[in-house]
Amino acid sequence: MQFELSEEHKMIQSAAKEFAIELKAGVIDRDEQAKFPTEFVKTMGELGFMGIMVPEQYGGSGMDTLAYVLALEEIAKIDASAAVIMSAHNSLVLYGLNEYGTEEQKQKYLVPLAKGEKLGAFALSEPEAGSDASSQHTTAEDKGDYYLLNGTKNWITNGGNADIYLVIAQTHPELGHKGINVLIVEKGTPGFSIGPKENKLGIRSSDTHSLMFTDVKVPKANRIGDDGFGFKFAMKTLDGGRIGIAAQALGIAAGAYELALAYSKERKTFGKPISNHQAIQFKLADMEVDIEAARLLTYKAAWTKDQGLPYGKAAAMAKLKASEVAMQHTIEAVQIHGGYGYVKEYHVERLMRDAKITQIYEGTSEIQRLVIAREILKD
């Protein structure tokens, strides 16, 4: 069993770490103003991060899932908003297009997305159904050579800044989940409108919107896969998405830990650094153990996917553990900072706010436990 990263993986990790240093400038202002990091997203495209797992022939970097996780972790340590923009784009949009798109769809949509010239969004969640892919109220009525799309999608990451949207919709209600399709919809298509930006607790500089579709004509050529493939598409996409969320949560936790560790060595009480006090040492030790456990689960999930093995359970386990560790230990990081932890300039309060969403999107912790339980009870 090999725990050492390859030289290529170390290079990706190092490049992401250097980029994250640039991200730190202005991160507090972007959070306060809920300002989308347009220029940094452009830079991520130039660095190859916005198409990291896409083959080079389609404009990507041709790297594996582990490389993607390593880059996400480093970016999330500094700016979880930038990380979720990158994650939704890669895990939820590019993966599906690369895996299941036609050659024509890849040339038209995947190439500019992988190059970072365009941004993608995945539209699954709805007001009535959340992330339940089997219960879609958005409809795609078959009109011969096109679909007529009607409905509303909620909580869409990159919703306002995306150029290309993958929309899950019901075509054959009588078939239930077997009648669902996934359609490629371009921004600016008549009848497609974008709601106001959500005013969120955390990951504030990533944009989250509702999307409204009113008699939107979508060519049949923009359907991914066979008629009725949408549910399977969504399930496969969410499995990979959970690895991305795990990497984000891992980065948030690790970033908070690094700040807390450094602060504990600088802050003095009773004439000595607080890191000399056992109460603080115990907290730091627990953080280190839990974060390393989350890291191993996340890397294993990425490795499992890269080996072509079933990775649904591994992804759910990584997402569950990493998100809970992120929430628990960003709180501890604030506690170690004391009153300063409540002040924005020390960053840990922002990381604590960012951590909470990792327990919610791509399925709550309870959903991850159900996924894991179903897998272990199969036999």
Side-chain angles (χ1 to χ4, degrees):
M1 187 175 291
Q2 177 60 262
F3 287 99
E4 181 71 20
L5 295 176
S6 69
E7 289 304 313
E8 188 176 36
H9 285 133
K10 288 178 182 177
M11 287 174 60
I12 289 292
Q13 188 179 51
S14 177
K17 194 168 189 173
E18 288 180 18
F19 170 67
I21 294 171
E22 297 177 32
L23 272 176
K24 193 167 186 177
V27 66
I28 294 173
D29 288 339
R30 291 195 302 274
D31 174 74
E32 288 185 335
Q33 299 168 23
K35 183 181 178 183
F36 190 83
T38 304
E39 289 304 312
F40 287 116
V41 173
K42 181 180 177 182
T43 302
M44 285 195 288
E46 293 168 353
L47 290 170
F49 296 154
M50 297 302 279
I52 193 165
M53 296 179 289
V54 175
E56 293 180 12
Q57 70 185 94
Y58 295 117
S61 300
M63 303 294 289
D64 59 13
T65 313
L66 180 56
Y68 167 59
V69 162
L70 291 167
L72 263 184
E73 179 185 351
E74 293 301 325
I75 292 168
K77 284 181 182 179
I78 303 298
D79 188 350
S81 292
V84 73
I85 292 164
M86 174 183 162
S87 179
H89 178 84
N90 277 283
S91 291
L92 304 182
V93 180
L94 272 63
Y95 165 78
L97 277 169
N98 182 60
E99 195 74 14
Y100 303 109
T102 64
E103 184 63 27
E104 181 183 0
Q105 289 168 348
K106 289 179 181 180
Q107 293 297 335
K108 185 176 182 180
Y109 298 113
L110 181 60
V111 170
L113 286 166
K115 289 181 177 179
E117 297 169 354
K118 293 187 176 181
L119 185 65
F122 182 66
L124 170 63
S125 295
E126 296 190 348
E128 299 88 350
S131 297
D132 181 2
S134 66
S135 179
Q136 294 295 301
H137 293 267
T138 298
T139 60
E141 188 179 354
D142 193 335
K143 292 292 186 179
D145 59 348
Y146 67 91
Y147 290 100
L148 200 62
L149 187 63
N150 283 280
T152 300
K153 295 293 183 179
N154 274 22
W155 315 115
I156 308 306
T157 300
N158 300 340
N161 283 276
D163 305 284
I164 307 298
Y165 301 77
L166 302 189
V167 182
I168 306 296
Q170 179 65 260
T171 300
H172 310 287
E174 71 281 2
L175 297 179
H177 72 275
K178 293 182 179 180
I180 294 171
N181 281 309
V182 54
L183 306 176
I184 305 169
V185 182
E186 299 181 35
K187 177 182 280 184
T189 304
F192 173 24
S193 59
I194 300 169
K197 182 165 61 176
E198 302 289 351
N199 188 9
K200 299 173 297 186
L201 171 71
I203 55 167
R204 288 175 51 78
S205 67
S206 74
D207 65 318
T208 305
H209 296 255
S210 293
L211 310 177
M212 284 74 75
F213 305 95
T214 305
D215 291 337
V216 177
K217 289 185 176 181
V218 183
K220 275 273 181 76
N222 281 27
R223 185 187 73 205
I224 299 178
D226 295 332
D227 190 17
F229 180 65
F231 178 77
K232 289 184 178 179
F233 178 94
M235 291 298 96
K236 280 288 188 182
T237 300
L238 289 175
D239 279 344
R242 287 174 181 133
I243 298 175
I245 304 306
Q248 290 172 51
L250 172 61
I252 292 168
Y257 166 70
E258 290 174 8
L259 289 168
L261 178 62
Y263 181 82
S264 74
K265 295 176 179 179
E266 298 166 2
R267 174 66 170 166
K268 292 184 178 180
T269 60
F270 306 106
K272 59 183 179 181
I274 63 172
S275 60
N276 286 10
H277 300 302
Q278 276 193 347
I280 300 298
Q281 292 175 357
F282 289 166
K283 288 181 185 294
L284 292 170
D286 285 344
M287 292 171 81
E288 171 74 5
V289 171
D290 285 345
I291 290 167
E292 188 64 15
R295 180 174 287 116
L296 290 171
L297 281 170
T298 302
Y299 289 9
K300 182 187 176 184
W303 176 87
T304 303
K305 182 173 181 285
D306 288 335
Q307 299 306 305
L309 300 171
Y311 58 91
K313 184 179 79 168
M317 290 173 66
K319 197 268 188 186
L320 174 63
K321 181 63 175 179
S323 64
E324 293 191 343
V325 166
M327 194 70 252
Q328 178 184 354
H329 291 309
T330 51
I331 292 173
E332 289 286 31
V334 170
Q335 193 72 22
I336 289 171
H337 279 75
Y340 291 107
Y342 225 59
V343 179
K344 290 184 180 295
E345 67 182 277
Y346 284 81
H347 296 282
V348 286
E349 65 84 28
R350 173 174 49 83
L351 290 169
M352 183 179 72
R353 289 186 285 107
D354 289 344
K356 185 58 189 175
I357 193 61
T358 66
Q359 293 182 301
I360 298 171
Y361 56 17
E362 305 300 330
T364 62
S365 296
E366 291 75 18
I367 289 174
Q368 306 314 314
R369 287 182 168 90
L370 282 174
V371 171
I372 295 163
R374 285 170 182 168
E375 286 294 321
I376 62 179
L377 292 171
K378 270 184 179 179
D379 300 330

